Amino acid sequence: MSRMSPGEGRAYLVDRLRAVADGDRAALRQIYERTAAKLFGVCLRILDSREEAEDVLQDVYLTVWNRADSFDPARASPITWLATIARNRAIDRRRQIGPRAFDRPVDEAVDIADASPDALALLHRSEDTRRLAECLGALDDRTRGAIVTAFYGGRTYEELAETAGVPLGTMKSLIRRGLMRLKECLSS
């Protein structure tokens, strides 16, 4: 498979997602071939279990098959959309299993070897997220840290609240207000 520039890779995935929305199974296979390693890494970091991450990855591509028509390239890059699905599915599975099923805290999952860039690194590289990085930089450290840890680190609101020593409602409000400021900044 030849190397594509970030812009070409994005255009390719946008095209393939449109084809999946039209029921093209080969396009789903092509998306899988290009993104499975990255999305598996997202799932593995959150779940810390290869078996669970593999199961969730299957759910991710089933969701892509069923929801490709909801992808809007004007709102997010394809890899961001896919990584968000993977992150959300992995967090849902982690909640379903319960915290006792994990031998180590999710913070230690950072040590799992993965030579490819993580979701946050991919976001910083893509042209459409330069503005997101700018807007994240405008947030106070506490809010920015909570949002980044929740959305790119796979931490639940409950875990963030416990780590910060604040009530769950306070953490949810902090993140909600931060997301509203981000939305405002991104739309200006």
Side-chain angles (χ1 to χ4, degrees):
M1 173 182 335
S2 65
R3 298 294 276 170
M4 293 184 182
S5 72
E8 292 170 328
R10 177 189 169 112
Y12 176 82
L13 287 174
V14 167
D15 177 68
R16 297 295 74 208
L17 281 167
R18 287 182 177 142
V20 170
D22 291 336
D24 185 340
R25 290 178 187 267
L28 182 64
R29 183 178 5 268
Q30 292 162 339
I31 290 170
Y32 178 87
E33 289 168 358
R34 291 232 178 218
T35 62
K38 171 56 49 203
L39 300 184
F40 179 73
V42 169
C43 296
L44 188 58
R45 280 188 189 97
I46 294 169
L47 294 166
D48 196 27
S49 162
R50 290 191 76 77
E51 186 176 306
E52 290 296 334
E54 288 167 0
D55 287 348
V56 168
L57 190 64
Q58 184 177 356
D59 291 343
V60 168
Y61 287 102
L62 183 60
T63 300
V64 170
W65 177 255
N66 290 322
R67 295 191 48 218
D69 62 333
S70 70
F71 171 69
D72 179 359
R75 296 188 68 191
S77 71
I79 197 66
T80 301
W81 187 73
L82 293 164
T84 299
I85 292 171
R87 177 196 169 275
N88 290 342
R89 290 290 176 265
I91 288 173
D92 289 346
R93 179 67 58 91
R94 184 178 171 113
R95 286 180 179 146
Q96 183 181 35
I97 294 170
R100 286 186 222 113
F102 299 94
D103 294 336
R104 301 181 305 179
V106 74
D107 292 338
E108 293 180 25
V110 171
D111 297 330
I112 295 171
D114 182 5
S116 57
D118 64 15
L120 188 57
L122 287 171
L123 289 176
H124 282 286
R125 279 195 219 151
S126 66
E127 61 199 56
D128 63 311
T129 58
R130 178 193 56 78
R131 182 83 174 122
L132 175 60
E134 230 174 68
C135 291
L136 272 171
L139 297 174
D140 64 90
D141 291 341
R142 181 179 176 194
T143 303
R144 180 179 52 253
I147 289 172
V148 168
T149 304
F151 289 91
Y152 302 109
R155 301 282 303 273
T156 64
Y157 292 139
E158 292 84 3
E159 291 169 331
L160 290 170
E162 185 177 319
T163 301
V166 298
L168 176 60
T170 300
M171 183 55 65
K172 286 182 177 181
S173 294
L174 175 78
I175 291 174
R176 185 177 61 251
R177 285 191 307 270
L179 289 174
M180 287 171 29
R181 287 196 304 265
L182 274 178
K183 183 178 179 181
E184 206 173 278
C185 177
L186 290 169
S187 65
S188 63

